[in-house]
Amino acid sequence: MTTATTKYLSDYRIPSFLIATVNLTFELEPQATRVTAVTEISRNGDHDHSLILDGDDLIIDSIAINSQALLPNQYFVTNSKLTIIEVPDSFELSIVTTINPLENTKLEGLYVSGDAFCTQCEAEGFRRITYYLDRPDVMAVFTTKVIADKQKYPFLLSNGNSIESGTLDNGRHYKVWHDPFKKPAYLFALVAGDFDQLSGSFTTRSGREVALEFFVDKGNRHKAEHALVSLQKAMKWDEERFDLEYDLDIYMVVAVDFFNMGAMENKGLNVFNSKYVLADVESATDADFDGIESVIGHEYFHNWTGNRITCRDWFQLSLKEGLTVFRDQEFSSDLGSRAVNRISAVKVMRSHQFAEDAGPMAHPIRPEAVIEMNNFYTVTVYNKGAEVIRMIHTLLGEDGFQRGMARYIEQFDGMAVTCDDFVAAMEQGAGVDLSQFRLWYSQAGTPTITVSESYDQVKQQYQLTLSQMLPNPDNGQKLLPLHIPVSVELISAQGQLFELAEGLTHTVLELTETQQTFVFDNIASKPLASLLGDFSAPVKLNFDYSDQQLAHLIRFASSDVARWDSAQKFLTKAIIENSLLHSRGDRLDVNPLLGESLKQVLADLSIDPALVALMIELPSVMELFELVDSIAIDAIIEARNFVQHHLATQLFSLLHTCYERTSMAIGNDCDKDVSLRQLKNASLKLMAVTAAVDVEGMVKQQYLQATNMTDSISALSYANENNLSCLSQLNGLFEQKWAKNGLVMDKWFALVGANPSANVITSIITTFEHQAFSWQNPNRVRSLIGSFAMANPKNFHAIDGSGYLFLTDQIIKLNTINPQIASRLITPLLQWKKHDLIRSNLIKQQLQRLAEIENLATDLSEKVNMSLG
């Protein structure tokens, strides 16, 4: 196994040298790009250290200080460093390197995507372009000159504003870009290619007109229109909600097919995975449109929370990502349904982040140690980080939070800072003490809140006792009680809300001790407590609700999120109870009250249809796995299938009516139609479980008559999930129509990987040869292989270990092609200790197999080591 050095937050030291300006010249050629970097460097402090620069896979052509070429004995090079032994206190350093973008399948640094050049420098990709102080706390002003063949690469793009362009000999041309704002190297970007261009503009509140430019593959110009409108909405929203205005003359977005991430916020030149830019009704689903709006907003919001103020070191990654995820969630909630968007965020936490917290890669949102920086990009840092920001917002309120944000921007603009700096700004702006709250940044794991209650009829007094239990960390760290905001409302037997304070029926309890009791006076009868109604904290709740109480909450809780959550709890309870019955060989059964509660929901036309769709959706297998200490895979899958089939049968008539009603109601109201389509398809999905002949006809008819991708891929999905007899025909029609559209084929690849047939691995292997599949394209790999590992639990966890063996084979193949993607795919193998003895041994064998690979990438070796212990 590859050995690598662990980096620790405690080892942070200020940089020995600083860089004021960077002048870059790129002479672009696919296999031999020449990069000239001229930097102004000065010693930082009183020391005589050598200058040590980061580099990876570079060929040095020349090095000079103050125009004087260095001799071979004045510097030395290792695999990852260039050390210049003696340097002046202030000097100009010139380095010329040669790189091979065409062979850069890691997609870090400068690489070729299709027929275009593009870059990805976060976290440590700039060192694959030139030798540099590649760390986020070294901020400089960049000027970039790009030279390339004019016919092949008519568009030459980089950060900032364009200041010069011209024509050169031999059919080449150049363009110079200057970014007046200091930035770290990870925010550098360059793109060169031949694109379709979609132009727009935005007038800021101060009256400046900003040019908005989208660059997409030929023939896709119209598919960027939604992204352009989303950007304009984001710019307006950030001015109105956060008082933040854009600062350059131009904002550019480039969509590329080969990209490891969703998008990258490079200053003034965002590089996007095409998935989050291109959409039209025929080829993209409603969820795709929502995803584009969210990610466009996220990357734009980084202009202030990430670019103008950046992180001091990569341990502070949540400083920019947690805050910006919170901001993009608020953007989507302000523009759309707040409840639906909140539920979406909660589902990610429960299915992915809680599992990460419970596994070998558990870490706080500000980690203390890491081997591979790319492994920092986790649901904990991003999504739990956003929940921590949301808790601050809950504790401070909107006004207090905005005062804290204003303080943060004013104090740290143009600087690289820490999470502690952000929390301090919040304290100062809002006038609060968040000392204990800071523990959220340094303690890993998901807390569990256990609740007990008592009611005194004579005193008309209700008491809630909350206890917080923290997980036992493997590193022996002593965990201290957290500051946890717990939202609460009390509901009477008649469904009315008790007044908890003058005019208020909702309050937030601040749990700061291991155990606290909260007293509510003037409560005329024993209430039912609705807790964590809007998921006010990223915790698990242990409160023994009866089926009758859950039904009451579904009907009467004031929060739509709480109503959905109560339905999820009821469904989860039914599945877990039946999994225990299955394990004992007992007869399975479902309380009729669950179906009756869902019937009321389906029949209530006053509820947002999208919310109804979410309330009748069963929790995913991944969410269910996370709720148990020891995973009984077969029992959970069988129990979930039983409950789903039972409800589909019990609700069939109402589901059919709902399907017909929503189908008829869909018209030309885009926002309303999205919600109606969500309920229509949720109804069909549940009915399809019965595999009834008339339902199969409905699935087939919906596919054949669909006028949008949402309906067609939904119908195909339901045929795939239930192996309906029409699947082969519909699969063929879909593949024939979309075979040359990679983004649409990703949806098809995902269905191939998720198909429940026993021969699914053979189907996947056959699909590797499909004309649209590419091992070099992260989207294709994630869709086909990722869906098998994450969305096909029955086959992935086959008792013969074939699923584990297959996934490991693909990880080994990707280890040399794209280690980042390989590292993402290994996640389902990491929690092997939670499985039964047979499966845990089978998974462990595959991890040990990986451990024995001589050149295992650090992205993978860190996770394998952590998992094996």
Side-chain angles (χ1 to χ4, degrees):
M1 178 184 288
T2 303
T3 57
T5 303
T6 301
K7 307 173 186 73
Y8 297 94
L9 171 60
S10 58
D11 290 339
Y12 173 82
R13 300 293 181 270
I14 63 170
S16 298
F17 294 86
L18 299 175
I19 299 177
T21 64
V22 185
N23 283 274
L24 295 167
T25 301
F26 287 81
E27 300 170 67
L28 295 177
E29 293 290 350
Q31 292 181 285
T33 289
R34 184 179 171 92
V35 182
T36 302
V38 180
T39 54
E40 293 181 10
I41 302 179
S42 60
R43 196 178 301 275
N44 186 24
D46 184 16
H47 63 82
D48 59 357
H49 300 165
S50 298
L51 175 65
I52 302 175
L53 302 177
D54 302 297
D56 182 17
D57 205 16
L58 303 172
I59 297 173
I60 298 176
D61 295 330
S62 66
I63 306 175
I65 288 181
N66 295 331
S67 301
Q68 185 70 41
L70 294 188
L71 299 174
N73 64 348
Q74 293 178 294
Y75 68 92
F76 60 89
V77 180
T78 64
N79 288 338
S80 61
K81 303 289 182 184
L82 164 64
T83 299
I84 303 177
I85 300 169
E86 293 184 7
V87 295
D89 288 344
S90 183
F91 58 97
E92 178 186 89
L93 175 66
S94 301
I95 301 178
V96 181
T97 56
T98 299
I99 55 179
N100 187 341
L102 188 62
E103 297 300 319
N104 183 4
T105 62
K106 291 182 177 180
L107 311 187
E108 296 177 90
L110 178 69
Y111 63 93
V112 173
S113 172
D115 295 323
F117 288 92
C118 78
T119 57
Q120 172 56 31
C121 294
E122 187 179 356
E124 297 178 333
F126 192 76
R127 64 191 60 189
R128 296 176 60 82
I129 293 173
T130 187
Y131 285 99
Y132 195 78
L133 289 172
D134 191 7
R135 45 188 289 172
D137 57 349
V138 174
M139 303 174 70
V141 173
F142 280 67
T143 302
T144 305
K145 182 176 185 178
V146 188
I147 303 169
D149 183 283
K150 187 172 183 178
Q151 184 175 356
K152 292 181 180 177
Y153 311 104
F155 292 100
L156 307 176
L157 313 174
S158 193
N159 307 91
N161 300 316
S162 174
I163 59 173
E164 184 184 346
S165 61
T167 302
L168 301 170
D169 296 335
N170 302 320
R172 295 171 76 78
H173 69 140
Y174 75 92
K175 195 161 191 174
V176 181
W177 295 83
H178 176 70
D179 185 354
F181 298 97
K182 293 190 303 178
K183 66 172 177 285
Y186 84 85
L187 290 172
F188 171 78
L190 179 152
V191 174
D194 188 9
F195 306 100
D196 271 353
Q197 181 180 2
L198 176 65
S199 300
S201 64
F202 179 79
T203 303
T204 69
R205 61 183 177 182
S206 65
R208 289 188 309 105
E209 184 153 322
V210 178
L212 308 179
E213 303 288 353
F214 282 74
F215 300 89
V216 299
D217 285 343
K218 293 286 187 177
N220 285 330
R221 182 180 182 275
H222 69 287
K223 293 184 180 181
E225 291 173 356
H226 174 68
L228 173 59
V229 172
S230 297
L231 176 58
Q232 292 165 331
K233 290 179 179 178
M235 298 176 83
K236 186 174 188 293
W237 180 86
D238 216 16
E239 289 185 349
E240 294 176 348
R241 177 81 185 267
F242 280 88
D243 202 28
L244 297 172
E245 181 178 334
Y246 187 62
D247 47 13
L248 290 170
D249 300 332
I250 187 171
Y251 189 95
M252 297 173 286
V253 173
V254 181
V256 297
D257 280 340
F258 292 75
F259 203 68
N260 283 338
M261 303 181 182
M264 179 60 209
E265 71 268 20
N266 319 294
K267 182 70 177 180
L269 176 58
N270 289 182
V271 180
F272 268 66
N273 190 317
S274 297
K275 172 182 173 69
Y276 293 108
V277 173
L278 304 180
D280 60 14
V281 170
E282 186 182 17
S283 63
T285 64
D286 295 333
D288 292 331
F289 279 95
D290 287 344
I292 287 169
E293 182 179 79
S294 173
V295 177
I296 286 283
H298 180 96
E299 305 309 330
Y300 173 74
F301 301 143
H302 265 313
N303 185 63
W304 281 96
T305 53
N307 296 1
R308 288 283 289 259
I309 304 177
T310 195
C311 44
R312 184 196 71 178
D313 54 78
W314 290 120
F315 295 95
Q316 316 294 332
L317 180 59
S318 199
L319 172 82
K320 71 184 186 77
E321 295 301 348
L323 176 56
T324 305
V325 170
F326 168 77
R327 277 160 40 76
D328 84 53
Q329 289 174 353
E330 285 298 289
F331 169 62
S332 297
S333 295
D334 282 348
L335 267 61
S337 165
R338 180 162 289 274
V340 169
N341 279 285
R342 187 70 188 121
I343 290 168
S344 176
V346 174
K347 286 164 70 71
V348 171
M349 288 295 297
R350 288 179 174 167
S351 61
H352 292 80
Q353 197 283 317
F354 282 5
E356 187 167 86
D357 259 353
M361 295 300 293
H363 55 276
I365 66 170
R366 183 187 57 208
E368 302 292 329
V370 74
I371 292 174
E372 172 53 56
M373 291 300 176
N374 288 326
N375 288 341
F376 264 163
Y377 292 78
T378 64
V379 284
T380 296
V381 166
Y382 277 65
N383 299 79
K384 186 174 181 178
E387 295 300 323
V388 170
I389 299 295
R390 185 171 298 280
M391 286 190 288
I392 294 176
H393 184 274
T394 297
L395 293 169
L396 273 57
E398 172 70 5
D399 290 344
F401 187 83
Q402 290 295 351
R403 289 196 303 272
M405 279 294 297
R407 175 81 179 195
Y408 176 63
I409 299 294
E410 177 186 8
Q411 188 172 357
F412 298 116
D413 186 15
M415 298 173 64
V417 299
T418 67
C419 296
D420 283 332
D421 292 324
F422 173 80
V423 177
M426 283 287 149
E427 288 178 317
Q428 294 160 13
V432 297
D433 181 0
L434 296 174
S435 299
Q436 183 183 3
F437 187 85
R438 280 178 168 82
L439 292 171
W440 281 102
Y441 284 88
S442 58
Q443 294 188 175
T446 305
T448 297
I449 296 180
T450 299
V451 183
S452 61
E453 61 179 352
S454 65
Y455 178 68
D456 189 321
Q457 179 68 60
V458 176
K459 294 182 178 179
Q460 295 196 343
Q461 189 179 79
Y462 178 69
Q463 292 188 358
L464 278 174
T465 298
L466 308 183
S467 304
Q468 57 171 298
M469 184 176 71
L470 304 170
N472 294 318
D474 292 335
N475 61 8
Q477 177 188 11
K478 179 178 172 59
L479 300 184
L480 300 173
L482 294 164
H483 185 172
I484 305 175
V486 180
S487 64
V488 61
E489 64 181 19
L490 303 180
I491 305 172
S492 73
Q494 293 73 39
Q496 297 171 325
L497 297 180
F498 286 101
E499 188 174 283
L500 305 181
E502 188 173 349
L504 298 176
T505 56
H506 174 275
T507 191
V508 174
L509 310 177
E510 296 190 32
L511 177 62
T512 57
E513 305 293 336
T514 301
Q515 184 178 97
Q516 281 175 258
T517 298
F518 299 88
V519 179
F520 301 87
D521 293 316
N522 301 315
I523 306 299
S525 59
K526 184 178 181 180
L528 175 59
S530 175
L531 299 167
L532 296 165
D534 287 319
F535 199 64
S536 59
V539 301
K540 296 179 181 179
L541 182 67
N542 182 12
F543 191 7
D544 190 19
Y545 287 112
S546 68
D547 290 353
Q548 289 73 22
Q549 288 176 319
L550 290 171
H552 200 65
L553 289 171
I554 291 171
R555 187 175 181 186
F556 293 114
S558 67
S559 160
D560 286 340
V561 180
R563 297 184 69 187
W564 164 82
D565 190 36
S566 300
Q568 289 293 292
K569 284 186 172 71
F570 207 160
L571 288 162
T572 298
K573 186 178 181 185
I575 295 169
I576 297 298
E577 287 174 352
N578 275 287
S579 73
L580 297 175
L581 293 173
H582 181 277
S583 296
R584 295 197 300 264
D586 293 339
R587 179 176 174 273
L588 307 190
D589 192 25
V590 176
N591 187 339
L593 185 57
L594 174 56
E596 292 303 318
S597 295
L598 296 182
K599 279 183 180 180
Q600 291 178 356
V601 170
L602 282 164
D604 189 345
L605 300 183
S606 68
I607 307 176
D608 178 1
L611 180 64
V612 176
L614 290 166
M615 291 179 74
I616 65 173
E617 181 181 40
L618 273 70
S620 69
V621 173
M622 281 186 64
E623 289 176 83
L624 295 167
F625 282 177
E626 175 48 33
L627 292 172
V628 294
D629 295 328
S630 180
I631 301 172
I633 293 170
D634 302 314
I636 289 175
I637 292 175
E638 288 300 320
R640 186 182 186 278
N641 290 342
F642 172 79
V643 172
Q644 188 174 39
H645 192 277
H646 180 93
L647 291 173
T649 303
Q650 186 179 357
L651 303 175
F652 192 91
S653 176
L654 197 50
L655 288 168
H656 194 284
T657 299
C658 192
Y659 181 82
E660 296 294 336
R661 184 181 71 241
T662 50
S663 298
M664 292 289 292
I666 293 172
N668 296 313
D669 185 336
C670 294
D671 291 337
K672 182 180 178 183
D673 287 352
V674 169
S675 190
L676 289 168
R677 262 194 300 274
Q678 195 167 346
L679 178 54
K680 179 184 82 167
N681 284 304
S683 300
L684 183 60
K685 178 178 183 177
L686 197 49
M687 283 191 291
V689 171
T690 65
V693 175
D694 54 340
V695 174
E696 178 159 344
M698 293 168 66
V699 170
K700 183 175 178 179
Q701 181 182 38
Q702 173 167 310
Y703 180 87
L704 295 175
Q705 296 181 353
T707 59
N708 58 79
M709 179 56 71
T710 301
D711 283 347
S712 60
I713 197 64
S714 294
L716 183 58
S717 298
Y718 309 150
N720 188 70
E721 289 169 14
N722 301 286
N723 271 326
L724 302 183
S725 59
C726 63
L727 175 60
S728 179
Q729 178 192 0
L730 302 189
N731 251 336
L733 291 171
F734 191 92
E735 191 272 339
Q736 183 180 18
K737 180 176 182 179
W738 297 108
K740 295 182 179 179
N741 186 317
L743 286 180
V744 177
M745 286 304 293
D746 283 336
K747 304 178 192 303
W748 188 79
F749 290 141
L751 295 183
V752 172
N755 184 270
S757 298
N759 65 346
V760 63
I761 291 178
T762 302
S763 298
I764 295 172
I765 292 172
T766 302
T767 307
F768 288 156
E769 304 303 317
H770 194 282
Q771 61 176 321
F773 184 79
S774 167
W775 284 100
Q776 282 72 40
N777 189 301
N779 288 352
R780 307 299 98 88
V781 172
R782 276 189 291 252
S783 296
L784 184 57
I785 302 170
S787 66
F788 171 72
M790 303 294 284
N792 198 337
K794 185 172 183 178
N795 285 305
F796 176 66
H797 292 290
I799 195 64
D800 63 357
S802 56
Y804 310 140
L805 173 64
F806 174 74
L807 177 61
T808 305
D809 286 344
Q810 313 323 311
I811 289 171
I812 291 171
K813 182 180 181 71
L814 288 163
N815 177 59
T816 56
I817 298 173
N818 192 327
Q820 273 197 55
I821 300 305
S823 179
R824 302 289 191 273
L825 290 176
I826 200 175
T827 299
L829 298 176
L830 300 180
Q831 284 189 290
W832 58 275
K833 294 179 182 178
K834 285 190 70 172
H835 294 291
D836 59 70
L837 185 61
I838 294 175
R839 288 182 171 96
S840 62
N841 283 332
L842 289 168
I843 299 173
K844 188 177 180 182
Q845 288 172 16
Q846 296 306 319
L847 290 171
Q848 288 170 333
R849 179 180 163 211
L850 287 170
E852 293 167 3
I853 293 176
E854 184 176 349
N855 295 313
L856 191 66
T858 54
D859 307 61
L860 283 165
S861 64
E862 178 177 23
K863 291 186 174 182
V864 171
N865 267 328
M866 294 288 286
S867 184
L868 290 174

